[in-house]
Amino acid sequence: PDPGGKIWIGTSNNGVAVFNPADSTWTHTTEQQGFPHQYVRSMACDNTGNVWVGTSGGGVVKFLEGQAFTHFGASRGLAGNRVYALQRDSRGRLLMAVSLLGLQVLDSAGIQPFVRDSGWLSGIKSRSIAEDNFGRIWVGTAGKGLVVFDSSGMLEVPGIPSATIQKIEPGVPGEMWVATTAGITRVSYGSPHNFLLQRFGKEEGLRGLIISTLHVDQQGSVWFSDQIGNVGLIQHGKLAYIFTQADGLPNAPVRCISSSHSGKLWVGTKGAGIFEANTGIAPLRFQALQTPKKLASDNIYLLVSDAEGNLWAGSESGVDKIIFEKTTGKALENQHFGKNEGFLGIETCQDAALCDGQGNLWFGTMNGLMKYTPSTRKAAGAAPILHFEGITLFYKPLEETNYKAWANPMGGLLEGLKLPWDDNHLSFEFRAVDLAHPDAVRYSWKLEGSPNAQWSPLSTQASVNFAGLQPGEYIFSVQASSDGSIFSDTLSAAFSVEEPFWQLLGFQLAVGLALLALVALIAWRRIRSIRKAETAKRVQLEIQNKLLQLEQKALQLQMNPHFLFNALNSIQSLVGAGDTTEARTQIGHFAQLMRGILNNSRQPYISLKEETDTLEQYLRIEQFCQQNNFDFSIILPDNIDPEELEIPPMLLQPFVENAVVHGVSHLSWPGKIELTFSLEAGLLICSIRDNGIGREKAARLRQERKPGHQSVAIQVTRERLDALKNGANYEALIFEDIKDTTGEIIGTAVLVRIPAKLNY
């Protein structure tokens, strides 16, 4: 039994028999009704009420629950597959323009030939059929013009400007409107054999002469369209208006026109869908018909209204039913019928549709004749059955990855899947099965945990990719529906993406501490550097201060007062002796020496030339003052100009004075003092040698004259030399006794090392 209580019986040689207990009737479906094979092997009923029958050699057949469509094909007597035009006559018969044979008639006896044409229409494509108020049948052909059939035979209508008739529509009683490839003709007939023709062409205002379709509405207004896509209106026998794209029409050819009792006008286009207008509102404007769901196709071949005011649109993939709200006229619902819904004709033919007096709809298709029988019983709605087909990670099935343990054998994911931050590209594939409407299944999904966690619009897309997922907890959910109102159970898959190590609290704390340590280290090193620089600066300042103090002491000790007294006393002796010439000479030498000392004392550095000139002046005056004669020599370096080498002033004078006063002044033989300068390894080396009595004897004599006396000038100079070293590793001052071959002291040598300061 099926859900409706009917009993289905499969036979081995007579197809399917169905018994209805409600009225005790039997229905048989055999090869004559289009059943593929008489031998039935198995039967089953699905959750939507459809009955499936397995045959022996004829495949599987699906009987739709609440079946509303009936197919008429070759097995039921149709001469050809294609049905180009339909007309219900006043006798209740259905006239069909069929390929191969011409016209056929469907009545209570089945499908019969239209005998009145005597084969004249055989092999001719008939594009349109109509009946006038005399009960005559008008047929428009593609090549043989317009003919009228009555009980007496066939009559050709003369004067039609083209032999290719596109559409015939009856107007008010006594007239017929004919669309051709050469314009529109209004045929008036006062009697069966008198025809009065009124033509509409370019002179009457038509923009195109090839008329694609024609429709007469309930008010008797004639609507037509040309091959360009313009829609025209004829009222009271005159062309009233041509509607173009400026009035809202699309840039597409119009194939069919239909209207309703409420004043709605619809036009079906090639590739642009359906456009509608309200004839009761001026000015008339067209707009695209908005339906809740997208139509199966925008390529519209036919439009027809049923007895309930619903609009049916035929295309190359079946028919769509559009239901309107009664008061506003807004499209509330639309449903598609194709092969899976029992519409076996599939592709419809242009303008080949009608609604008969019983409310049945008839459609001419490229695969026979289809009849739709309205039923108050509605097929039970059932939600599609949804399942996961696969889950991939970076385009690789999850079962082939390191996370295969979380792949659910029944589809989806097991709980607890945690993905590393860089394994964050997941794809979900899913599929729903709806045996009643397999082509109407749509999917909606969402990803909870993402920034836009909302259900997506219904779509045919059966997979979704999520690339570059951020760390977090996620739940992927998907559901399916065939009609947008009944949805399947929701499938879900939960997973999480872990944070990268640099986003972990421990890592961030470690990095923070490392940064703090680095900042502290940088600050410490900076402070240490500043302190070190300050210390070095302070040391340098202390050294400079000490040098200044030593220089001041050195300047104070540059000239021994005894030397000055002796020099002036010697000059006075010359004056007393009357040797004024020599006195003036010595006074000049003394003045030069004093001027040199004063000039040099104002400079931190003087040239080696200036220093040796001052020493030379000093030695000459000493030669004049001392009782014992001595000679001196000054040897300058050969590898540098003395003018380019700078030294502190009067640095060597104390050592030269010692050589004179404590060395050669006690000799009983001529003394000799030698100053030699050389430049080695960045140091200026000065050697002061004398042939005096030596340091030991000179010290004894000094103690005898002045017990406890210390040479302050030598000590200050030694400190000046140590300060000039500035931390360098060398010995700045060396005293040596000069000995002969027997070891006897025959003089003193002083070695002074000074950092070389060049001034180019």
Side-chain angles (χ1 to χ4, degrees), residues 522-588:
I522 293 173
W524 176 77
R525 295 189 64 178
R526 179 62 178 165
I527 293 172
R528 190 182 68 168
S529 176
I530 293 173
R531 287 178 176 175
K532 187 176 181 181
E534 290 295 326
T535 301
K537 187 176 180 180
R538 185 174 63 253
V539 170
Q540 186 68 25
L541 290 175
E542 290 175 353
I543 292 173
Q544 292 178 359
N545 184 49
K546 187 175 182 180
L547 282 173
L548 289 175
Q549 293 176 357
L550 293 173
E551 287 174 2
Q552 289 176 357
K553 291 180 180 180
L555 291 174
Q556 293 172 0
L557 301 171
Q558 280 176 356
M559 290 293 112
N560 193 319
H562 293 288
F563 164 73
L564 298 177
F565 175 79
N566 290 338
L568 292 175
N569 192 38
S570 298
I571 294 172
Q572 185 180 9
S573 298
L574 290 175
V575 174
D579 192 354
T580 57
T581 301
E582 181 64 21
R584 284 193 295 271
T585 301
Q586 294 302 327
I587 289 172

Side-chain angles (χ1 to χ4, degrees), residues 466-477:
F466 297 104
L469 289 171
Q470 297 300 312
E473 302 286 335
Y474 296 95
I475 299 177
F476 173 74
S477 301

Side-chain angles (χ1 to χ4, degrees), residues 335-384:
Q335 183 180 3
H336 176 69
F337 299 92
K339 183 177 181 180
N340 292 313
E341 290 75 31
F343 194 86
L344 304 182
I346 305 176
E347 182 176 355
T348 57
C349 294
Q350 183 176 351
D351 272 335
L354 62 85
C355 180
D356 63 20
Q358 288 76 41
N360 301 313
L361 292 177
W362 299 84
F363 300 96
T365 74
M366 301 293 285
N367 189 31
L369 175 67
M370 294 300 304
K371 176 185 178 182
Y372 173 78
T373 304
S375 174
T376 56
R377 181 183 175 193
K378 187 176 181 181

Side-chain angles (χ1 to χ4, degrees), residues 668-682:
S668 57
W669 60 86
K672 184 174 179 59
I673 298 175
E674 183 180 278
L675 277 73
T676 304
F677 293 90
S678 62
L679 191 64
E680 297 178 8

Side-chain angles (χ1 to χ4, degrees), residues 386-396 413 424-431 443-448 450 452 454-457 459-469 474-479 491-493 495:
L386 181 64
H387 65 279
F388 280 116
E389 285 205 326
I391 298 176
T392 60
L393 181 63
F394 278 105
Y395 308 104
K396 192 174 183 179
L413 292 175
N424 57 351
H425 190 135
L426 275 174
S427 301
F428 294 89
E429 298 177 6
F430 36 84
R431 186 70 60 184
Y443 304 93
S444 179
W445 60 83
K446 68 176 178 178
L447 183 64
E448 295 182 24
S450 64
N452 186 20
Q454 297 180 354
W455 287 103
S456 67
S459 168
T460 58
Q461 183 178 337
S463 65
V464 60
N465 299 323
F466 297 104
L469 289 171
Y474 296 95
I475 299 177
F476 173 74
S477 301
V478 61
Q479 56 187 7
L491 285 184
S492 297
F495 63 96

Side-chain angles (χ1 to χ4, degrees), residues 684-704:
L684 175 64
I685 302 174
C686 177
S687 173
I688 305 170
R689 301 170 66 90
D690 66 66
N691 61 345
I693 61 175
R695 291 183 297 160
E696 185 177 349
K697 289 182 179 181
R700 284 200 304 268
L701 290 174
R702 189 164 55 248
Q703 289 298 323
E704 290 174 0

Side-chain angles (χ1 to χ4, degrees), residues 486-656:
I486 301 176
F487 285 85
S488 67
D489 292 336
T490 300
L491 285 184
S492 297
F495 63 96
S496 63
V497 178
E498 296 179 334
E499 292 182 339
F501 65 89
W502 60 82
Q503 292 184 1
L504 296 176
L505 180 61
F507 179 82
Q508 292 177 346
L509 289 175
V511 171
L513 292 175
L515 289 175
L516 288 176
L518 180 61
V519 171
L521 177 62
I522 293 173
W524 176 77
R525 295 189 64 178
R526 179 62 178 165
I527 293 172
R528 190 182 68 168
S529 176
I530 293 173
R531 287 178 176 175
K532 187 176 181 181
E534 290 295 326
T535 301
K537 187 176 180 180
R538 185 174 63 253
V539 170
Q540 186 68 25
L541 290 175
E542 290 175 353
I543 292 173
Q544 292 178 359
N545 184 49
K546 187 175 182 180
L547 282 173
L548 289 175
Q549 293 176 357
L550 293 173
E551 287 174 2
Q552 289 176 357
K553 291 180 180 180
L555 291 174
Q556 293 172 0
L557 301 171
Q558 280 176 356
M559 290 293 112
N560 193 319
H562 293 288
F563 164 73
L564 298 177
F565 175 79
N566 290 338
L568 292 175
N569 192 38
S570 298
I571 294 172
Q572 185 180 9
S573 298
L574 290 175
V575 174
D579 192 354
T580 57
T581 301
E582 181 64 21
R584 284 193 295 271
T585 301
Q586 294 302 327
I587 289 172
H589 290 164
F590 186 78
Q592 289 180 2
L593 176 62
M594 291 299 102
R595 183 167 55 250
I597 291 173
L598 291 174
N599 289 337
N600 293 344
S601 66
R602 297 189 182 97
Q603 306 295 329
Y605 283 90
I606 61 174
S607 67
L608 179 60
K609 179 68 169 56
E610 292 173 328
E611 177 74 3
T612 55
D613 287 346
T614 302
L615 291 174
E616 184 178 357
Q617 290 293 335
Y618 168 74
L619 288 171
R620 288 189 184 281
I621 293 177
E622 285 286 12
Q623 280 181 327
F624 167 68
C625 295
Q626 294 295 332
Q627 294 180 356
N628 294 332
N629 294 332
F630 69 89
D631 291 329
F632 69 89
S633 62
I634 299 176
I635 302 172
L636 296 172
D638 296 330
N639 55 350
I640 194 168
D641 187 351
E643 295 283 352
E644 297 176 351
L645 193 62
E646 294 184 343
I647 64 173
M650 299 300 290
L651 190 65
L652 304 175
Q653 190 272 338
F655 304 109
V656 175

